[in-house]
Amino acid sequence: MLILGIETATQQVSVAIGGHEGVLGMFEVSRGRRHAETLVPAIEFVCRQADIEIAEFGAIAVDIGPGLFTGMRVGLAAGKAIAQALRVPMIGISSLDLLAFPLRHADRTIAAVIDARKGEVFYAFYRPVPGGVQRVTEPCVGPVDDLVADLIARGQNVVCVGDGALRYRDEIEGDLHCDFAEQFVSFPSAAPLVQLAHARALREDWVNPWEIQPMYLRAPDAQINWTTRESAS
Amino acid sequence: MIVDDSTLVLGIETSCDETAAALVMGGYDVVSSAVSTQVDLHAQFGGVVPEIAGRAHLDLLNPMIARAIVEAGVTEDRIDAVACTVGPGLIGALLVGVSAAKALALTWNVPFIGVNHMEAHLYAAFLEDPTLEFPLVVLLVSGGHTMLIEMQGHGQYRLLGQTIDDAAGEAFDKVARFLGLGYPGGPAIDREAEDGDPEAIRFPRAMLHDGLDFSFSGLKTSVMNHVRKHPDVSAADVAASFQAAVVDVLVQKAQRAALQVGACGLVLGGGVAANSLLREQFLSACTQSGIRGFLPSRAMCTDNAAMIAAAGWHRLKSDGPTGLDAGAYPNLRLAFLS
Ligand SMILES: [Zn+2]
């Protein structure tokens, strides 16, 4: 089965096509912050270069966050629309799972950390298991200090991955010894997304497009925007 | 691509707090129109909360699209183009519709059309009366805008006047909030005013005889000052007198604009056009001055996707499709003739 993977939860836009052979094509850009402008042309481009028609997809996989709300919704809205139009199911996978999965050959605990702005991070801990990673804590959001306290409490050597880990590297390293994954794996990518989704698709572990739920982890900032309220009916 | 009477356009609207999808054929014939309002989600905050709107659009858009297609009784392969509001509006809200619309256009391999929400409001009247003739003067009153626009032809607009401060709808919201009448302010003031005397308090009619621009900020302030000075005043009288002042200015200026331009018709549009006093006075002013007046239904005045599909059909016919690299433009303006 061919799977389209869409990932827009951080400043990166990532699109990949997966099949039983693995990743068949991908597009990735982490500069520019033009998620809405970039995503649909990127899907079109990857499909054309891989010589795959959109109608051939049997499932649509999306990153459901946590991440930057507006960016996340660009991918979710596009993914849901394509799945609805094709009448195919969706597979939602957390951005933190996508960060941890490429480090599955590590020999220690993995901390997946996404920059949540406002001095906070989204994070969860994983441990490598045969064939993948297993999440050992619930995804959460909190100040960088909370993450550092959690890392200290674990009292073991941890490898940190994600844009949040890199941004707050000094704070994290100030108190304990950690390793940090490379910059080029610091954003969740659609490549592990289609890989993980393919395994789930084989088990038919999927949902209808209207059932997919973003993982926001934060309540909406209930601030009313009077000035940009341009078009209220 | 030939754009004609049988071209079926799916319209999508997510610029503020209504999630809507509709199918319109040939630019005029509304085949289906589904609207889900989020007003209850925002009411407790007394205004539209952008992040709540974004979340709700993501939940509601797919069901609205499905409903529009089912109600139309067509299959998806019959849809010739997808039109969507690209601005103005709340960025996070707009992006949900734009992303979904472009993805649908790509999947169905049909043109995408980015639509200006304000232009769509101008087209709402044509959906109910395709015989309207140019030049038309449109009084567009909403939570974000108060404008008098001359439509000289399709896509040919001249700005005759606009608010220099608050939009009329914004004034309604702020006064309603001040009086503790709840949100949204338009319907709340409308209801409260039913039991009030519109002549109880003579609120100022700013710039009434001075050009075609509007100003509502002073009126809002004088309502607040009056209530502070007379704490026992009846809220119904204040609401009725405030509403009368707003409507007076709107109607007199619209009438004057139509006469100045020699318009074939005067049209009311935007969410505030649902106000009952405005509807009544608008029609009587038209009758009195011999101008052909047109009042779209309340459903067509408030945000909906049929008007997006209609404006999209006209844009597709005149300019062709929009690129799939389009984004959302929160401050998008209408292009006016100078
Ligand atoms: Zn509107």
Side-chain angles (χ1 to χ4, degrees):
Chain A
M1 178 190 290
L2 289 174
I3 294 173
L4 173 66
I6 295 173
E7 202 296 302
T8 58
T10 61
Q11 70 186 64
Q12 177 162 278
V13 174
S14 180
V15 172
I17 296 171
H20 67 271
E21 308 96 317
V23 179
L24 305 175
M26 75 177 298
F27 168 98
E28 213 150 73
V29 154
S30 58
R31 191 170 183 280
R33 297 181 42 79
R34 290 156 43 91
H35 290 47
E37 290 87 339
T38 308
L39 177 62
V40 172
I43 296 170
E44 188 178 27
F45 173 77
V46 178
C47 288
R48 192 169 57 235
Q49 300 306 325
D51 194 21
I52 288 166
E53 300 276 339
I54 293 201
E56 292 179 61
F57 291 120
I60 310 297
V62 284
D63 179 342
I64 52 168
L68 303 175
F69 299 158
T70 305
M72 247 161 83
R73 280 194 292 264
V74 166
L76 279 157
K80 286 171 75 168
I82 295 171
Q84 182 177 8
L86 295 178
R87 296 173 207 282
V88 299
M90 294 186 79
I91 297 163
I93 295 180
S94 162
S95 52
L96 296 167
D97 292 4
L98 299 180
L99 280 178
F101 183 72
L103 301 187
R104 62 192 174 280
H105 303 300
D107 54 359
R108 67 193 89 164
T109 299
I110 302 153
V113 187
I114 290 176
D115 185 5
R117 308 264 173 89
K118 304 175 185 174
E120 295 193 326
V121 285
F122 298 115
Y123 66 97
F125 292 100
Y126 295 79
R127 79 165 163 251
V129 292
V133 292
Q134 184 180 45
R135 197 172 66 217
V136 293
T137 61
E138 283 302 307
C140 65
V141 63
V144 180
D145 289 350
D146 285 8
L147 167 68
V148 173
D150 274 5
L151 284 164
I152 292 171
R154 303 197 86 79
Q156 47 184 306
N157 203 353
V158 171
V159 56
C160 297
V161 61
D163 63 346
L166 293 189
R167 175 167 181 180
Y168 295 109
R169 185 171 183 154
D170 291 347
E171 283 86 336
I172 296 167
E173 278 185 325
D175 290 302
L176 70 171
H177 177 75
C178 280
D179 282 328
F180 287 82
E182 297 292 338
Q183 179 273 339
F184 62 85
V185 291
S186 66
F187 299 111
S189 164
L193 174 62
V194 291
Q195 270 179 289
L196 289 167
H198 194 263
R200 281 178 50 179
L202 293 177
R203 304 195 301 270
E204 298 193 6
D205 178 7
W206 49 35
V207 295
N208 286 313
W210 56 90
E211 289 169 325
I212 203 135
Q213 280 303 324
M215 192 189 290
Y216 289 115
L217 296 185
R218 233 190 218 157
D221 196 355
Q223 198 176 39
I224 293 151
N225 199 334
W226 288 102
T227 46
T228 57
R229 196 167 165 253
E230 288 280 334
S231 76
S233 51
Chain B
M1 165 176 189
I2 299 161
V3 181
D4 61 19
D5 289 351
S6 68
T7 305
L8 188 63
V9 178
L10 170 67
I12 291 175
E13 157 62 32
T14 65
S15 67
C16 190
D17 57 351
E18 261 91 29
T19 315
L23 282 164
V24 173
M25 193 179 302
Y28 298 96
D29 182 12
V30 183
V31 185
S32 65
S33 179
V35 182
S36 172
T37 178
Q38 308 170 7
V39 72
D40 294 344
L41 295 178
H42 302 282
Q44 57 173 312
F45 302 103
V48 177
V49 181
E51 176 58 22
I52 292 177
R55 292 183 183 194
H57 284 306
L58 185 65
D59 287 340
L60 295 167
L61 184 55
N62 292 60
M64 285 306 110
I65 294 170
R67 194 199 288 178
I69 292 171
V70 168
E71 280 178 8
V74 297
T75 50
E76 288 163 15
D77 57 8
R78 180 61 192 79
I79 296 169
D80 298 305
V82 182
C84 178
T85 303
V86 294
L90 299 167
I91 180 75
L94 289 166
L95 281 172
V96 173
V98 171
S99 302
K102 292 196 301 177
L104 286 175
L106 176 69
T107 308
W108 289 331
N109 194 24
V110 298
F112 164 73
I113 315 147
V115 170
N116 180 314
H117 182 89
M118 304 316 292
E119 181 169 52
H121 271 301
L122 298 179
Y123 274 99
F126 287 87
L127 289 168
E128 293 182 334
D129 189 351
T131 69
L132 288 171
E133 277 175 67
F134 300 118
L136 269 182
V137 168
V138 184
L139 171 62
L140 203 55
V141 266
S142 74
H145 295 272
T146 305
M147 288 177 161
L148 273 166
I149 294 165
E150 178 192 358
M151 286 183 88
Q152 295 181 345
H154 293 295
Q156 306 237 289
Y157 318 121
R158 201 157 66 89
L159 182 63
L160 302 174
Q162 64 182 329
T163 182
I164 58 166
D165 40 56
D166 290 354
E170 204 178 340
F172 271 97
D173 280 344
K174 287 178 178 173
V175 167
R177 197 162 41 150
F178 179 73
L179 295 175
L181 300 177
Y183 171 86
I189 298 257
D190 205 345
R191 267 193 313 274
E192 187 72 20
E194 274 175 32
D195 308 319
D197 174 6
E199 280 159 23
I201 311 145
R202 180 72 193 173
F203 287 123
R205 272 79 171 148
M207 304 167 63
L208 185 59
H209 304 290
D210 182 14
L212 293 173
D213 284 339
F214 303 90
S215 165
F216 294 108
S217 149
L219 170 60
K220 176 194 69 194
T221 312
S222 70
V223 169
M224 293 178 179
N225 289 340
H226 185 90
V227 175
R228 286 194 187 111
K229 226 182 283 171
H230 310 90
D232 297 330
V233 70
S234 126
D237 284 349
V238 176
S241 303
F242 160 75
Q243 179 174 269
V246 175
V247 168
D248 240 14
V249 179
L250 290 174
V251 169
Q252 286 203 35
K253 294 215 175 195
Q255 185 183 24
R256 199 176 331 134
L259 292 171
Q260 263 177 30
V261 165
C264 295
L266 182 57
V267 175
L268 193 57
V272 178
N275 180 277
S276 28
L277 183 71
L278 178 56
R279 297 177 79 82
E280 191 187 304
Q281 302 241 330
F282 175 86
L283 280 185
S284 73
C286 289
T287 316
Q288 187 194 63
S289 49
I291 305 165
R292 184 179 170 202
F294 185 75
L295 259 185
S297 66
R298 283 180 166 81
M300 204 49 83
C301 292
T302 48
D303 285 354
N304 65 84
M307 68 182 194
I308 307 300
W313 183 88
H314 286 281
R315 276 288 158 205
L316 184 63
K317 202 173 160 74
S318 61
D319 304 349
T322 308
L324 289 178
D325 58 352
Y329 312 97
N331 302 313
L332 185 66
R333 290 169 180 276
L334 256 185
F336 292 112
L337 304 169
S338 47

